[in-house]
Amino acid sequence: SLLINLLSFYYFIFFFYYFLLIAYFFLFIFYFFLFFCYFLIFYIFFFFKQKTAYEMLRSLVGSEMCIRDSYPPFEGAIQAGVGSVMCSYNKINGVWSCENNATLNTDLKERLGFKGYVMSDWGATHSTSIMEGLDVEMPGAGFMNPAAIQAGIKSGNISESAVDASVLRILSQMFAVGVMDEPVLNQPVS
């Protein structure tokens, strides 16, 4: 009876060990496949620099089908009172998203009635595009700095009314969420 119990225990350990081995093998295959998929997506996204996928969809952007299918979520967000929208890195119909007058001014601000401000994705600004509908450049001010905006106003490429409208959009949203309600306490960062 002791021998049978030992053999039963041995067989149990043996089968349990091989069960775990097979399970780990399938987990390895799963994670390898997952890694391969992520690598493939990374390769396609960065090697082709987003160009191929967007060029396939380029004919749809700005069409009535695109407006009908893509804009309702933005309409819902605007109706819910969203304060800012971020433009992206990609080009839309050959124009950088953050300097695309058709999507930022015409569609977003005029057609959809967006009253908030448009902020660039980090590093997605390619020019002083305040006239095209961009209000805030992130993370710094490489293109939309005071010197560039003043030069644009002096040359006539930027209107003072566009700057005023941009400042109004930014400040009105800051007031709306209470950013200006509390005083800033200058305390050293530890």
Side-chain angles (χ1 to χ4, degrees):
S1 169
L2 180 64
L3 183 62
I4 293 173
N5 285 342
L6 284 175
L7 283 175
S8 298
F9 182 72
Y10 172 75
Y11 284 127
F12 172 76
I13 296 296
F14 178 78
F15 286 117
F16 185 71
Y17 172 77
Y18 280 104
F19 171 77
L20 285 178
L21 194 63
I22 291 169
Y24 284 132
F25 174 75
F26 283 113
L27 275 174
F28 173 77
I29 296 296
F30 171 75
Y31 283 118
F32 179 79
F33 177 73
L34 194 64
F35 172 76
F36 177 74
C37 289
Y38 282 136
F39 176 76
L40 187 63
I41 291 168
F42 175 83
Y43 178 78
I44 290 170
F45 187 76
F46 287 101
F47 182 74
F48 293 108
K49 295 184 181 176
Q50 307 175 10
K51 199 171 186 178
T52 308
Y54 291 115
E55 298 227 353
M56 290 187 292
L57 297 173
R58 198 161 93 174
S59 62
L60 297 176
V61 175
S63 68
E64 287 303 314
M65 185 179 103
C66 175
I67 292 167
R68 183 185 70 241
D69 294 342
S70 301
Y71 284 9
F74 291 96
E75 286 178 302
I78 291 166
Q79 290 170 358
V82 69
S84 65
V85 171
M86 181 178 279
C87 54
S88 60
Y89 293 102
N90 60 300
K91 289 184 178 181
I92 301 172
N93 291 334
V95 180
W96 291 110
S97 172
C98 289
E99 54 190 47
N100 195 315
N101 187 52
T103 56
L104 297 180
N105 278 330
T106 305
D107 291 342
L108 183 66
K109 293 179 180 177
E110 293 173 15
R111 183 182 291 177
L112 298 177
F114 179 60
K115 301 296 182 211
Y117 63 95
V118 177
M119 168 180 36
S120 75
D121 205 339
W122 268 229
T125 306
H126 297 90
S127 67
T128 307
S129 44
I130 196 165
M131 294 300 294
E132 286 76 23
L134 182 64
D135 298 307
V136 178
E137 176 186 5
M138 294 305 279
F143 293 99
M144 295 184 62
N145 54 58
I149 292 174
Q150 288 172 354
I153 291 171
K154 286 180 185 174
S155 69
N157 293 331
I158 297 175
S159 68
E160 286 187 31
S161 63
V163 175
D164 292 342
S166 182
V167 170
L168 178 65
R169 287 175 177 278
I170 296 165
L171 290 178
S172 65
Q173 295 307 315
M174 293 175 100
F175 278 104
V177 296
V179 171
M180 304 298 189
D181 293 345
E182 297 294 324
V184 176
L185 302 175
N186 293 327
Q187 296 178 356
V189 178
S190 55

